[in-house]
Amino acid sequence: MVGLFVPTAVRRNLKMQDDTPPVSRKKGVYLLPNLFTTVTLFGGFYGVVMAMTGRFENAAVGVLAAMIADALDGRIARMTGSESDFGKEYDSLCDMVAFGVAASIIMFAFSLQHLSAYPWLGGRLGWVLAFSFTACAALMAQT
């Protein structure tokens, strides 16, 4: 706060932090990019569920929808000025689920499960390959 001995006319011309009104951000603006990020998460979840039921075409469509939503969420956040640390972390988590976990489960269910017939790694070669893909996706999400 400015001292008491500063004339009133001078105080009016100074831009003081105490006199500035707080910047109010519209909470609805933050909802839009996070909604697209949630669509990314849902696309990955949908892909996993479809892979578990053997509907691999639908699983691929789910991951494709996640890819489109992921491409749009960052742009929308920048256009609306609603970038936040939470949004960045949430986007990384959803990318990990949609493009790491979901993609590796789809890959395992479609083709890698047949590697259990080979005795390498106790018949778990498909698991190791699918997990390696997931681990690499997690490491990529952190960069």
Side-chain angles (χ1 to χ4, degrees), residues 3-89:
L4 297 174
F5 299 109
V6 177
T8 306
V10 174
R11 269 191 271 155
R12 286 185 190 143
N13 291 333
L14 291 176
K15 291 189 177 184
M16 297 179 290
Q17 291 180 351
D18 297 336
D19 292 341
T20 58
V23 177
S24 63
R25 294 188 179 226
K26 297 179 182 176
K27 292 184 180 183
V29 174
Y30 288 101
L31 185 63
L32 190 60
N34 288 333
L35 180 68
F36 275 86
T37 305
T38 304
V39 170
T40 301
L41 181 64
F42 177 75
F45 176 77
Y46 180 78
V48 168
V49 171
M50 291 296 110
M52 288 176 12
T53 60
R55 298 166 65 187
F56 299 110
E57 296 86 9
N58 292 347
V61 168
V63 174
L64 181 65
M67 183 181 68
I68 293 168
D70 185 51
L72 293 176
D73 65 356
R75 288 188 179 134
I76 291 172
R78 285 187 292 277
M79 284 175 25
T80 59
S82 58
E83 297 168 301
S84 67
D85 289 336
F86 170 77
K88 292 175 187 173
E89 296 298 325

